Amino acid sequence: MSARRAQTRDRLMVAATAVFAERGIIGSSVEEICEAAGFTRGAFYSNFADKDALVLALIEAAIAAQYAAAEQSIADLAAIPAEATPEERLSLALTRFADRSRNAGPGRDSRDAILVEQELMLHAARVPGLRAPYAAFVEACNSQLTGLISGALAAVGLEFVVPLDEAIDMLSAAHQHAQISSLFLGDAAAPTLERLVLAITRVTAGPPAARG
């Protein structure tokens, strides 16, 4: 893909995100997206076969952005002073993840990001041809996050007290709940994930550095 075409594609995705957040996917037209992006229908169809193809691209971009936000936040653990407690290290990592994920994805502010994420999920559920690709994207993301979360807990000196797959399901549900709550309550919903992590983990023996 040429740089010019990549820029056109990105602008269309940014425009679609804003339009979808305001009007919903079903209520939005290709023409509205093109107008918001400043392009013709020809530019749209040279990048996406139809609106559903655009939806798939946005789903993939959203999942990739969330994973990148998590990966960067976990990498930050290396810079935290060794004397910090596991709880302090966890709190800092989750705070940085929340800050990054608020703006994760193409051109979205925090509210648009949440609205569009819900729109994408519901649209994929309604359209038979999108269900399998959406499920595959989510499964791939969960698989990547499982490895990241396991490594992050070891880095801060914590371990799950429940089976790993159950812990991931609970964390995903808590993240979803916090996102939806934040649409109405703002940042008042933010501590939910941290409280859950602390509730289903325990401190491991010895400091992270000593375990190598």
Side-chain angles (χ1 to χ4, degrees):
M1 185 181 297
S2 68
R4 182 175 179 180
R5 184 176 179 186
Q7 290 175 351
T8 299
R9 183 181 175 89
D10 287 346
R11 281 177 57 183
L12 285 165
M13 292 173 70
V14 169
T17 297
V19 174
F20 289 166
E22 181 179 356
R23 300 178 57 82
I25 295 174
I26 297 297
S28 303
S29 67
V30 169
E31 289 77 11
E32 288 172 319
I33 295 169
C34 292
E35 182 179 355
F39 292 123
T40 63
R41 286 168 58 92
F44 180 93
Y45 287 112
S46 68
N47 285 278
F48 304 103
D50 51 28
K51 191 165 68 173
D52 286 346
L54 169 61
V55 167
L56 276 178
L58 286 171
I59 290 170
E60 188 171 16
I63 289 175
Q66 288 289 322
Y67 178 80
E71 189 174 39
Q72 291 165 7
S73 302
I74 291 169
D76 288 345
L77 290 172
I80 299 175
E83 61 271 18
T85 66
E87 292 81 3
E88 290 169 339
R89 296 165 69 86
L90 172 68
S91 179
L92 181 57
L94 288 176
T95 297
R96 291 184 177 177
F97 170 68
D99 290 342
R100 289 187 173 109
S101 62
R102 283 190 185 99
N103 296 301
R108 297 185 291 178
D109 63 27
S110 58
R111 185 172 181 81
D112 280 1
I114 296 169
L115 288 170
V116 171
E117 185 172 331
Q118 302 306 312
E119 281 286 333
L120 294 174
M121 177 188 67
L122 292 173
H123 188 71
R126 292 187 182 106
V127 179
L130 295 181
R131 292 173 194 162
Y134 180 85
F137 287 140
V138 172
E139 183 178 358
C141 181
N142 285 342
S143 177
Q144 292 175 319
L145 284 175
T146 296
L148 275 180
I149 290 171
S150 298
L153 285 179
V156 302
L158 296 171
E159 64 183 5
F160 285 124
V161 296
V162 297
L164 180 59
D165 57 344
E166 293 180 16
I168 299 301
D169 285 345
M170 285 189 281
L171 292 173
S172 296
H175 180 60
Q176 174 85 345
H177 171 74
Q179 283 191 317
I180 294 174
S181 296
S182 70
L183 291 174
F184 304 95
L185 304 176
D187 288 339
T192 302
L193 194 58
E194 183 176 345
R195 288 198 298 266
L196 175 60
V197 173
L198 292 175
I200 61 175
T201 58
R202 63 189 171 201
V203 177
T204 55
R211 294 193 301 276

